Structures are given as structure tokens and as C-alpha cells.
Amino acid sequence: MQTESLPDSVPDILQSRASGILFFASFGALWLSLSLSFLHRLDLAAIALLAAGWFSLVLPSVWMLRRVGERAPPRQPDDDERARQRMFRIVNLVQWTAVGVAVVGLQWAGYPLYVVPAIAAIIGLHLFPLAYLFRYSLHYLTGAVLVAWAIAAPLRTAPAEIAGVTGLGTGAILWCSAALTLLYSIFLLTTRLEQAPHR
């Protein structure tokens, strides 16, 4: 039986994008859930909508990972891949360290209202090195929008709602980025599959 093969670089790209979608979908859902809870609007209808949105991003990504895995021969990571994963861990370590410092520092300084915007801004900033690391320019846009939202939301929101409103926007931005990545990845997968030689 004939099977379709993908060019060597395409499986790596698609696996990276699909993994990113899973992270963005899950963290976006967490942001949205917590924010709706802060705003006292996390009812059954909201939970159902959140679940539907999460599944609509996650299920195609899992399908894509399995589809690519069936066509990509297993291989050991090379030096560049190991270095990239090492830098990925460092970036995330710096991100979570900065989040911890921001939470403690703002609480200590008497500005707890700005904890959530600070976390959102840090998440946005950490996407810039990831964009360079994984050669994915959409991360630059997502990071910039997250930082801009983290700055703008507190300026136009009542103090009691800063955490909820900032978190809602952050979750929505993460989901929009995941959806765009999913559309791009499905397009890349289907077009490359159609063009790939049979073997």
C-alpha cells in the first residue's frame, strides 16, 4: 500500500506548531476560566462554551500530531534541536521567575491590583525570544498584543474588575493566536500532503 511522505522539515514545523496550540489553548482556557470567576460569571453556560472552544483547538491539534507522526520517520534530535529545547527551558524558567518576583513585589509594594496585568505582560514578553527560537513570527505579534493589552486594560477598567478584564483579554488573545496557528498548520499539512511524492 502506498503512503504519502512529508518533506523532512515539515513534520518538525507541524509538530512544533501543534504543541504550541496545545499550550496556548490550555493556558488560554485557564485564563478565561479564572477571569470569569473573578467577574462572578463562571456559570454552566460559560463552562460549556469554554469546553467547546478548548476542544475545537485541541482535537485538531492532536489529530495533526498523529497524522504527521504516521508519515514522519522517527529520528533522534540533533545538536540544534537539543540547544533549542535547552533555551526553551531557560526562557520558561526566566518567565516563571519573573512572574514570582512580580507577584511578591507588587503585593509587598501595595499594588495587588496590578498583579494580573504584570503576569500578562511577562507572558507577552517571553514570546519574543520564543518567536526567534522557533522561527515563528506570529509569536512576535501575539507578544506585542499581550503587552499592549496588559498596559491598556488597567487604564480603562474599574479597579475591582482589572484582574477579570485583563485576564479575559489575555485568554482571548492566546486563543486567537492558537486558532490562527491551527489554520496555518492545517493548510501547510494538507497542501504538503497533496504535493508530497508517494512511496
Side-chain angles (χ1 to χ4, degrees):
M1 184 175 66
Q2 290 180 323
T3 59
E4 295 169 297
S5 62
L6 290 170
D8 290 342
S9 61
V10 175
D12 295 336
I13 294 171
L14 289 173
Q15 288 173 346
S16 176
R17 300 296 176 258
S19 299
I21 294 167
L22 295 176
F23 276 108
F24 277 42
S26 298
F27 279 106
L30 180 61
W31 274 96
L32 291 168
S33 300
L34 292 175
S35 301
L36 288 171
S37 180
F38 290 152
L39 297 171
H40 307 290
R41 296 184 181 179
L42 189 61
D43 53 19
L44 288 177
I47 293 172
L49 287 173
L50 288 172
W54 183 80
F55 277 113
S56 69
L57 293 169
V58 168
L59 292 182
S61 301
V62 172
W63 166 80
M64 185 164 55
L65 283 171
R66 292 184 62 182
R67 189 171 177 83
V68 172
E70 292 170 355
R71 289 160 174 78
R75 64 178 184 82
Q76 293 297 320
D78 56 21
D79 291 341
D80 288 342
E81 178 63 21
R82 284 192 287 269
R84 187 159 45 244
Q85 291 301 321
R86 185 166 56 251
M87 285 303 301
F88 174 73
R89 290 191 291 270
I90 291 172
V91 169
N92 277 286
L93 177 61
V94 172
Q95 175 200 211
W96 290 113
T97 302
V99 166
V101 170
V103 171
V104 173
L106 288 170
Q107 292 281 359
W108 178 81
Y111 296 102
L113 291 177
Y114 299 106
V115 166
V116 172
I119 295 173
I122 291 167
I123 291 173
L125 290 171
H126 107 288
L127 289 178
F128 287 93
L130 293 187
Y132 174 79
L133 194 62
F134 293 108
R135 302 185 183 95
Y136 191 45
S137 58
L138 182 61
H139 282 348
Y140 288 119
L141 177 60
T142 304
V145 174
L146 281 171
V147 173
W149 175 250
I151 295 171
L155 299 177
R156 304 183 62 86
T157 306
E161 296 183 344
I162 286 177
V165 171
T166 304
L168 277 178
T170 300
I173 292 166
L174 291 174
W175 270 16
C176 287
S177 182
L180 289 174
T181 301
L182 179 61
L183 291 174
Y184 163 76
S185 299
I186 290 175
F187 170 79
L188 181 61
L189 176 64
T190 55
T191 55
R192 291 302 180 94
L193 276 173
E194 291 171 359
Q195 297 172 2
H198 294 276
R199 65 178 182 180

